[in-house]
Amino acid sequence: MIEDIDRDVFVRIQTDLLVVGDSIMTDRHHASNGNYEDDDPQNQIGGIIPAFPLSGWLRHGMEETVQEYGGTACHPGEANANFMKDGVYDRDLDAGYHEKGACTDDPKEDDGCVVFDLFGGFGGVPGKVMRRPIKFNPVRSSVDYTRGQAEGHYRRLNRNVVSRNREDNREPLRNAEIDAVANLDGCWHLSFREMKPEFIGLLAEGIDFLDAHKTDFMHQLGGARNFGAGIVDCELINPLYEERELKRVFDRGKGNTNAMGEKDDQWAEEYRPAFVDALEERIEEGP
């Protein structure tokens, strides 16, 4: 069945506000016409959301899924790393992780656990899933969803931290600027270097976990979580869809075709259960 799934899959992502710690790369020099004001609501600026925060968010959901199925997840950091908090590595090991790379004797010969297999990063061995950045544009007609792009509106926001003393009349103590994307709606393009049924099973379960826990602080995307940013509605778009059907998902004037409905039934009744079974078997084998 895995032969019927293309190496490229898409995750739909919708969020009212996104602020990422890696910042957002904009193409403002194309839109400014020499008069750029970063807080001007008339600016039609697009840009790129880096894959780093997206990847960490996805991996977190996948790790939780593996742990829910009774397995341990490969830790993303090495034991001798200079962590910012004392004892964090040991606490993670107690919470359902195993040491990075402990699941394989030779990463070039042995795939290790499913998380290590997907994300790699040890012994010079790349992971099997390639995560692209999301290119966004405020003009819907300029968004190519088949390339993993999104509609989104960039702004630079200003936050004033003010004095709490009554005699200061809430005078600002300092100003903080943050880059934000609002009303984001599009898809994230993932590519597999090698396709395995347990990969798709873990992706589907991990995305469902993140969607179900989107208001949990630990499972929100990016920074500024206390300010309502990073609450993401997400779903794996049916991998059986063809390119024209993928475009139709984002066409607000059209609904699903009969063929898309049949593929949805196939995915829910045949493909997904088989891939999740493969994931369970892989986890039962141990790291």
Side-chain angles (χ1 to χ4, degrees), residues 158-280:
N158 290 294
R159 288 169 48 205
N160 282 326
V161 180
V162 301
S163 171
R164 261 54 179 175
N165 295 316
R166 185 180 297 275
E167 59 270 20
D168 290 334
N169 295 317
R170 294 187 65 81
E171 284 186 18
L173 297 176
R174 63 183 177 86
N175 179 265
E177 292 185 339
I178 56 173
D179 290 339
V181 177
N183 305 318
L184 186 76
D185 184 12
C187 52
W188 185 24
H189 186 180
L190 303 172
S191 298
F192 291 92
R193 293 187 171 94
E194 180 183 337
M195 188 61 86
K196 297 179 183 179
E198 59 266 32
F199 289 171
I200 300 298
L202 182 55
L203 176 62
E205 292 286 279
I207 289 296
D208 277 3
F209 178 91
L210 289 168
D211 189 63
H213 294 82
K214 59 193 167 196
T215 57
D216 293 357
F217 183 85
M218 291 295 289
H219 301 292
Q220 291 169 30
L221 174 59
R225 297 180 181 93
N226 288 331
F227 300 92
I231 299 173
V232 176
D233 294 309
C234 55
E235 64 173 328
L236 175 63
I237 296 176
N238 191 334
L240 300 176
Y241 284 171
E242 298 174 9
E243 184 174 302
R244 58 182 176 80
E245 293 169 328
L246 174 65
K247 290 181 179 179
R248 198 177 181 96
V249 170
F250 296 95
D251 191 330
R252 300 176 189 180
K254 298 177 181 177
N256 283 9
T257 63
N258 290 336
M260 292 170 72
E262 292 173 3
K263 289 180 179 179
D264 287 344
D265 292 340
Q266 272 186 305
W267 170 251
E269 297 169 10
E270 301 174 32
Y271 286 83
R272 176 169 176 152
F275 296 153
V276 173
D277 287 345
L279 171 64
E280 290 181 346

Side-chain angles (χ1 to χ4, degrees), residues 11-125:
V11 175
R12 183 166 191 175
I13 289 180
Q14 296 172 284
T15 181
D16 295 332
L17 183 65
L18 184 64
V19 178
V20 297
D22 305 85
S23 194
I24 296 157
M25 293 171 279
T26 65
D27 58 4
R28 62 183 70 174
H29 60 287
H30 293 302
S32 65
N33 194 28
N35 299 306
Y36 174 72
E37 297 290 342
D38 55 18
D39 58 354
D40 184 352
Q42 296 301 313
N43 281 325
Q44 297 292 295
I45 300 168
I48 288 175
I49 299 167
F52 303 109
L54 293 162
S55 180
W57 170 74
L58 175 64
R59 177 168 180 151
H60 196 184
M62 288 183 166
E63 291 167 351
E64 292 279 358
T65 299
V66 168
Q67 291 161 358
E68 285 196 347
Y69 277 102
T72 62
C74 208
H75 199 285
E78 298 176 38
N80 61 355
N82 184 23
F83 293 104
M84 296 176 72
K85 298 189 76 170
D86 291 337
V88 64
Y89 198 86
D90 290 335
R91 291 199 301 276
D92 285 347
L93 297 184
D94 294 337
Y97 291 82
H98 56 262
E99 288 193 15
K100 182 177 182 179
C103 49
T104 175
D105 294 326
D106 185 352
K108 295 183 179 178
E109 301 292 335
D110 178 17
D111 292 331
C113 71
V114 65
V115 173
F116 181 86
D117 202 5
L118 274 169
F119 291 93
F122 187 76
V125 178

